Amino acid sequence: MKTWQCVVCGFIYDEAQGLPEDGIRAGTRWQDIPADWACPDCGVAKADFEMVEMAA
Amino acid sequence: MDPVVIVGSGLAGYTLARELRKLDAAVPLTILSRDEASFYSKPMLSNALATGRNAAQLASASAEQMAAQLGARILAGTDVQAIDVARRELRAGGVTLRYSKLVLALGADPIALPLDGNAANQVLRVNDLAGYARFRAAIEGKKTVVLLGAGLIGCEFANDLAAAGYGVHVIDPAPRPLARLLPVAAAEQLRLALEAVGVVWHLESTARAVTRTAKGLRVELADGTALEADAVLSAIGLRPRTQLALQAGLKVNRGIVTDRQLQTSAENVYALGDCAEVDGQVLPYVLPLMHAARALAQTLSGTATPLQYPAMPVVVKTPALPLVVCPPPALAGSWKLQPEANGLEARFEDDSGKLLGFALSGSALARKQALTKLVPPLFSQ
């Protein structure tokens, strides 16, 4: 499972955890999140997120 | 056709350019920047030490890369001298540029406290990447930093510095940190949490003078207390940059006045971000900026779109106490507190029990989305 970081505010989306309060189940992969989803902390569009490798 | 010209390459300018390009791949786009126009995220300055990034690493894309990505002409190191709204042209870097539409994304200036002392001019202010680079250079290998201001930026920087091992002192005239945004209980939690990571508070205090000493700087408080420091950082607030707009004859209040479509008093001239006062609101945060950039991009590409501001919580990046606050408007109401084992939920409700704002800390953060949905929009259609 990968983690994705918002390039603007640093919010981390962890695929293993999902975002239940946003209706995104744990285990949901990044590509399966709707395209119109935005960072819950700062509103940046999904397209503007960058992928960050999980730390070892 | 004359280009859409954006003045400013901060988060506002570049986000607008990006949103515009999602809708219109063809319109000529020119971005003017006073600095080197690297893309960087200002929110990331507040925890750069924790994330192990220096100023150079915070610049995630150069002007050349942004120009290529956006299909835009980027004029870096270029100051705008004057705008002629009647002729739709501006003077910048010694040349005259015509525009079809102009967007002012000028940002804001840090407010400077009047200070006595022979080192008052060494007080640092960080409001862009270059300023942040100077700050990091000033504290490299040093021990103690004094911060003026216990607002959002002051608290975030205090946490970042303290967690990195610096001795940190914070001075503010208020009795608590974030006194304007947070209810008392949450502000007290924050005060204690930052104290626990080593921040020394000088609340209900003001700095009077900064002088040079053999070892560094000395900050004198109004009550006579003296603090030794290697660097002093001022974070006491921002003032929208309105000079260019004033000179151009645009309507200016606290910020550059715009309507709900982000248009200034001059046709074809818009304002966005920390410099803008949209329908009476100056909101120097990222969420409002994102909503505004999307609406303005629609308007610029031909679909006049009034801005809608839903409730927009502000995340306070203080790892010592994760916090989010949705400040209530200036309406009658009161704070209702619901402490839990590892957090606090504070609701601001009017007399009928309607939720107008909230503050959440620790374990209560999980309810941010749910509560945000209940708070009325700032303005909507």
Side-chain angles (χ1 to χ4, degrees), chain B residues 77-222:
Chain B
T78 301
D79 236 318
V80 175
Q81 279 103 38
I83 304 169
D84 186 330
V85 303
R87 298 165 89 121
R88 291 212 225 161
E89 51 187 45
L90 54 87
R91 191 126 186 96
V95 295
T96 298
L97 296 168
R98 290 191 52 78
Y99 62 82
S100 56
K101 297 189 197 293
L102 178 65
V103 180
L104 302 176
L106 311 171
D109 285 318
I111 295 170
L113 201 61
L115 288 166
D116 287 333
N118 62 10
N121 60 0
Q122 286 188 41
V123 170
L124 298 165
R125 279 171 276 277
V126 174
N127 196 37
D128 57 29
L129 199 54
Y132 188 71
R134 284 191 295 273
F135 174 62
R136 289 288 295 269
I139 65 172
E140 181 63 38
K142 298 286 167 55
K143 302 236 280 286
T144 310
V145 180
V146 167
L147 289 163
L148 307 178
L152 190 60
I153 301 310
C155 288
E156 290 182 346
F157 270 69
N159 203 153
D160 205 35
L161 289 161
Y166 287 92
V168 178
H169 293 257
V170 181
I171 305 166
D172 196 286
R176 280 171 297 277
L178 279 170
R180 264 181 279 183
L181 281 184
L182 293 177
V184 172
E188 279 296 303
Q189 271 192 340
L190 181 62
R191 185 180 65 77
L192 290 169
L194 287 175
E195 204 165 73
V197 298
V199 171
V200 178
W201 294 107
H202 303 273
L203 296 165
E204 295 180 295
S205 295
T206 46
R208 206 191 57 77
V210 182
T211 50
R212 221 164 294 135
T213 67
K215 289 183 290 175
L217 299 172
R218 174 176 297 140
V219 180
E220 236 180 85
L221 306 188

Side-chain angles (χ1 to χ4, degrees), chain A residues 5-11 19 21-22 37-48 50 52, chain B residues 11 18-19 22 39 41 43-44 47 53 60 286-287 290 294 313 315 317 365-369 373:
Chain A
Q5 180 167 53
C6 173
V7 294
V8 169
C9 78
F11 170 82
L19 250 185
E21 60 188 40
D22 238 5
W37 182 84
C39 173
D41 279 1
C42 78
V44 157
K46 184 191 176 199
D48 301 321
E50 249 177 37
V52 172
Chain B
L11 209 48
R18 209 182 257 147
E19 292 294 325
K22 288 176 189 171
F39 178 78
S41 160
M44 298 285 242
N47 54 10
R53 288 191 184 100
S60 52
V286 181
L287 257 181
M290 292 295 156
R294 280 174 199 136
V315 173
K317 283 190 300 300
L365 280 172
R367 296 195 286 289
K368 180 184 86 160
Q369 313 285 61
K373 292 190 174 100

